[in-house]
Amino acid sequence: MGRPREFDIDEALERAMQVFWERGYEGATLSDLTGAMGITKPSMYAAFGNKEQLFRRALERYAEGPASYATRALEEPTARGVAEALLRGAVRTTTLSEGHPGCLTVQGALASSDGSRPAHDLLVGWRNDAGLRLEERFQRAVDEGDLPRDADPVRLARYIMTVAFGIAVQAAGGLGHDELQEIADTALRSWQP
Amino acid sequence: MGRPREFDIDEALERAMQVFWERGYEGATLSDLTGAMGITKPSMYAAFGNKEQLFRRALERYAEGPASYATRALEEPTARGVAEALLRGAVRTTTLSEGHPGCLTVQGALASSDGSRPAHDLLVGWRNDAGLRLEERFQRAVDEGDLPRDADPVRLARYIMTVAFGIAVQAAGGLGHDELQEIADTALRSWQP
DNA sequence: GCACTTTGGTACCGAACGGTACTGAAGTGC
DNA sequence: GCACTTCAGTACCGTTCGGTACCAAAGTGC
């Protein structure tokens, strides 16, 4: 009923995600966003609500797309395999494009000013959730005997997440895929829970 | 020669640093800055030039103050001691205040939009310099026989810096001092160059 | 005391911010 | 074809952004 929209909402969301990825929540202006999405501001507001909700949707898309490695990694049969897959995925995703190196969930809103607090809190929650899922996976590895009984899943998960976040910062600083993978390998070399 | 200024320029710079630390370069507005500094905008411009130069000065103060641990750590007698001191300093500084957890050089301008590109590049350069100094320190350790001949100083330095950056992200996400120190200990446990 | 320099405060600048009323066209179901 | 709904675009809203012209007051060196 009524006139159908002329733009593809998924494609528009993909473009918005790229802009947020590169410029962060506050750094991405509505002009940047709508320009990249190929639509006007009223169309954006009609389709997504406002900038904050657009960011929320873009983060969902990010989680299901570029950051889906984080979920897939949990399915590896061993804890060591999980850690390897996670860091390998972080390296790949943070160096996917020259236009937006780094990780959206890290550089989207790391500092928190008044306007970016909702985005900041959203990203903090997302990163914490990812850490919690990794903790549970490592706990399962302990229960299954894959990790030694005295291994500390929380500690291990926090360590791996920290390295992944550090890789995102290094990527934002210009390090390339191979250099980052070397870092990941170094971090895993010390894998003796 | 003229009327002396009524405010302490060091104290004003300290306040500005705190604001940049908490809110990042773009997130810190001139109102935020001058409000915290206790001066008016024209006074700020007369004393510092503009926002970007104020940020540059605030970063210098940060390097000589809260981040001075990075330089002091290099003076430790062994490479392992250097790594320990560096990560311990990162943990301490990123949890100094509840108002601005994290590291100014990481969250000051991680994503890069048009307006924040100068600040972004400045911080990238600063982080790279810190990494280079660590590389040189580790190379010296190899030369001195403190590290094994086949150790890779560049790789080790990048790894330690990556963990430090990851700690900064975790601190921004709310992790406390003890949890971060546990992460640092885990990262160092794998220290077998 | 006096000429001079520099201060701090008010009031303002154009531009860009996030967000919206309104309009005319385009398509839908009946 | 016709009433209705939803679209896209223009033009605009008030606010805030970084930055500045202007000026009276305050202090300095002589």
Side-chain angles (χ1 to χ4, degrees):
Chain A
M1 41 175 69
R3 172 180 173 185
R5 70 163 52 90
E6 295 182 1
F7 63 93
D8 184 321
I9 202 163
D10 276 331
E11 191 170 337
L13 201 51
E14 171 73 21
R15 307 289 184 85
M17 181 193 74
Q18 307 267 358
V19 174
F20 280 130
W21 195 342
E22 174 183 355
R23 309 175 102 90
Y25 177 75
E26 280 206 299
T29 70
L30 282 185
S31 298
D32 293 334
L33 291 163
T34 55
M37 297 163 88
I39 62 178
T40 60
K41 275 191 282 186
S43 295
M44 193 282 275
Y45 274 85
F48 299 100
N50 61 15
K51 186 184 179 182
E52 186 183 330
Q53 291 177 19
L54 176 63
F55 182 73
R56 194 169 254 105
R57 293 283 302 275
L59 176 62
E60 289 171 8
R61 187 175 178 87
Y62 183 77
E64 294 163 6
S68 58
Y69 69 87
T71 303
R72 279 198 310 275
L74 301 176
E75 299 165 5
E76 293 290 325
T78 65
R80 158 127 205 154
V82 171
E84 275 183 13
L86 197 75
L87 293 188
R88 195 176 306 273
V91 170
R92 272 202 57 210
T93 294
T94 57
T95 55
L96 265 186
S97 153
E98 300 216 346
H100 47 68
C103 172
L104 172 58
T105 72
V106 171
Q107 68 199 18
L110 197 53
S112 52
S113 62
D114 292 336
S116 69
R117 185 133 307 135
H120 172 87
D121 293 346
L122 184 66
L123 293 183
V124 169
W126 195 93
R127 295 199 302 263
N128 284 343
D129 281 350
L132 284 176
R133 290 202 306 270
L134 189 59
E135 288 178 14
E136 292 166 3
R137 178 64 184 83
F138 283 167
Q139 178 62 59
R140 203 187 90 196
V142 171
D143 296 342
E144 291 173 344
D146 171 32
L147 284 179
R149 196 109 51 103
D150 63 342
D152 184 341
V154 175
R155 178 184 186 131
L156 285 174
R158 284 188 182 144
Y159 168 64
I160 294 295
M161 292 301 293
T162 299
V163 174
F165 296 153
I167 284 172
V169 175
Q170 294 279 33
L175 254 55
H177 179 281
D178 295 350
E179 296 155 318
L180 295 176
Q181 187 57 49
E182 195 178 62
I183 292 171
D185 293 340
T186 306
L188 288 168
R189 181 188 288 188
S190 66
W191 184 266
Q192 35 186 5
Chain B
M1 39 170 72
R3 172 182 171 185
R5 69 164 50 92
E6 294 181 2
F7 64 93
D8 184 322
I9 204 165
D10 276 332
E11 192 169 337
L13 201 51
E14 172 74 19
R15 307 289 184 84
M17 181 194 74
Q18 308 267 356
V19 175
F20 280 129
W21 195 343
E22 175 183 354
R23 309 176 102 92
Y25 178 75
E26 280 207 298
T29 70
L30 282 185
S31 298
D32 294 335
L33 291 163
T34 55
M37 297 163 90
I39 61 178
T40 60
K41 275 191 283 186
S43 295
M44 193 283 275
Y45 274 86
F48 298 100
N50 60 15
K51 188 185 179 183
E52 186 184 330
Q53 290 176 19
L54 175 64
F55 182 73
R56 193 168 255 105
R57 293 283 300 274
L59 176 62
E60 288 171 8
R61 187 177 177 85
Y62 183 78
E64 294 164 5
S68 58
Y69 69 88
T71 303
R72 278 197 311 276
L74 301 176
E75 300 166 4
E76 292 289 325
T78 66
R80 159 127 203 153
V82 170
E84 276 183 14
L86 195 77
L87 293 188
R88 194 175 304 274
V91 169
R92 273 201 56 209
T93 294
T94 56
T95 55
L96 266 185
S97 153
E98 301 216 346
H100 47 68
C103 173
L104 171 59
T105 71
V106 172
Q107 68 199 18
L110 197 52
S112 52
S113 61
D114 291 336
S116 69
R117 186 134 307 138
H120 172 87
D121 293 346
L122 183 66
L123 294 183
V124 168
W126 195 92
R127 295 198 302 264
N128 284 344
D129 280 350
L132 283 178
R133 290 202 306 270
L134 190 59
E135 289 179 13
E136 291 167 5
R137 178 64 185 82
F138 283 166
Q139 178 61 59
R140 202 187 90 196
V142 172
D143 297 341
E144 292 172 344
D146 172 31
L147 284 179
R149 197 108 51 106
D150 64 341
D152 184 341
V154 174
R155 178 184 187 131
L156 285 174
R158 283 187 182 144
Y159 169 65
I160 294 295
M161 293 301 292
T162 300
V163 174
F165 296 153
I167 284 173
V169 175
Q170 294 278 32
L175 254 55
H177 178 281
D178 295 350
E179 296 154 318
L180 295 176
Q181 186 58 49
E182 196 178 60
I183 292 171
D185 292 341
T186 306
L188 288 168
R189 183 187 287 187
S190 65
W191 183 266
Q192 37 185 6

